[in-house]
Amino acid sequence: MSTPFQKASEWIDAENAQDPNIELDQNKEYPKELLYSNRMYKRLMQFEPNASEQVQIASKAQHICRWKVARESYPMDRVGYLKWREELKKFHAKTTAGILEKAGYDQTFIDRVSFLIEKKLLKKDAETQLLEDVICLVFLEYYLEPFVEKHDEEKLKNIIKKTWDKMSDKGHQEALKIKYSEENLNLIKASLGL
């Protein structure tokens, strides 16, 4: 008999497996958001093995079905970007809530997962902060390199500084253990004045 957690995890994976966008990881193709979800969960369990079930689910569902809310459907400026990000959080929370309800979780549990996915009370709520640390660590480990190829140095320094500012001290310590390319490590150090 599957537990609610096993059911929810399988269903989140099944949703993310439908992503038409493909990403390569060690020469193997994956649906983009399924790969992201797996990286989030793996990093969470390395960083905080005793994370609550709510945080575990929130980590897996952080980008659930993200491709369904296209960036291009919002104005291509800063205001449009922020609106898109806000709408995405609500969309991810709502999509996950439907899965959790079907899996048999109660409303209190579902509300907590939604709270975490919407990243409420960052810096004030320990679990929201934990989730944000994991998001930042996954970005630095797997997604910084593609950003480096697309943006100039000043923009990159700004992105790294903003990422760093969202993290806790424990997150910072973990981020410095990641194996970066020499160029990226120098870029990070320059961005943070290390």
Side-chain angles (χ1 to χ4, degrees):
M1 192 71 185
S2 294
T3 64
F5 180 78
Q6 287 166 328
K7 285 184 203 164
S9 294
E10 280 172 30
W11 293 336
I12 290 165
D13 286 350
E15 288 295 326
N16 280 329
Q18 294 174 47
D19 189 349
N21 304 294
I22 298 299
E23 203 166 288
L24 274 179
D25 183 48
Q26 295 172 345
N27 297 320
K28 196 172 169 207
E29 290 187 343
Y30 295 91
K32 185 179 174 188
E33 295 310 344
L34 180 62
L35 181 61
Y36 179 79
S37 174
N38 290 339
R39 285 170 168 170
M40 283 288 295
Y41 184 72
K42 184 179 171 196
R43 172 51 83 174
L44 172 68
M45 299 321 287
Q46 288 168 344
F47 185 60
E48 186 49 74
N50 300 318
S52 72
E53 213 165 290
Q54 290 95 327
V55 180
Q56 289 182 47
I57 288 171
S59 76
K60 285 187 72 65
Q62 190 60 35
H63 280 185
I64 191 167
C65 299
R66 192 183 191 98
W67 68 93
K68 292 183 180 179
V69 183
R71 170 67 184 98
E72 295 74 35
S73 57
Y74 293 83
M76 295 306 282
D77 56 15
R78 180 92 183 126
V79 174
Y81 173 76
L82 294 173
K83 186 157 177 44
W84 173 66
R85 290 292 302 266
E86 263 324 292
E87 292 300 318
L88 271 175
K89 286 184 205 170
K90 290 176 188 155
F91 169 74
H92 296 320
K94 189 177 175 194
T95 305
T96 307
I99 288 172
L100 296 181
E101 198 176 335
K102 200 168 74 165
Y105 283 107
D106 65 28
Q107 196 57 48
T108 306
F109 186 99
I110 294 168
D111 290 346
R112 181 65 181 160
V113 173
S114 295
F115 176 96
L116 293 168
I117 289 175
E118 291 186 43
K119 296 199 263 188
K120 293 186 175 172
L121 295 181
L122 185 59
K123 298 282 184 192
K124 295 190 176 106
D125 183 280
E127 289 189 321
T128 302
Q129 185 59 55
L130 169 59
L131 188 63
E132 186 63 40
D133 278 346
V134 172
I135 291 164
C136 294
L137 289 167
V138 166
F139 168 72
L140 289 168
E141 186 167 4
Y142 297 104
Y143 301 98
L144 178 61
E145 190 69 51
F147 264 78
V148 168
E149 291 161 15
K150 282 190 223 157
H151 300 290
D152 64 66
E153 193 171 331
E154 279 317 300
K155 176 143 190 182
L156 287 166
K157 283 182 175 176
N158 191 28
I159 289 168
I160 290 166
K161 178 108 182 53
K162 281 183 177 168
T163 301
W164 202 257
D165 289 346
K166 290 181 196 169
M167 297 171 83
S168 68
D169 289 342
K170 185 183 173 195
H172 293 156
Q173 289 164 19
E174 195 68 19
L176 292 172
K177 293 178 195 167
I178 293 170
K179 286 184 173 52
Y180 302 100
S181 68
E182 193 176 340
E183 297 81 10
N184 287 352
L185 183 58
N186 290 337
L187 177 65
I188 289 166
K189 286 179 173 174
S191 309
L192 305 173
L194 296 176

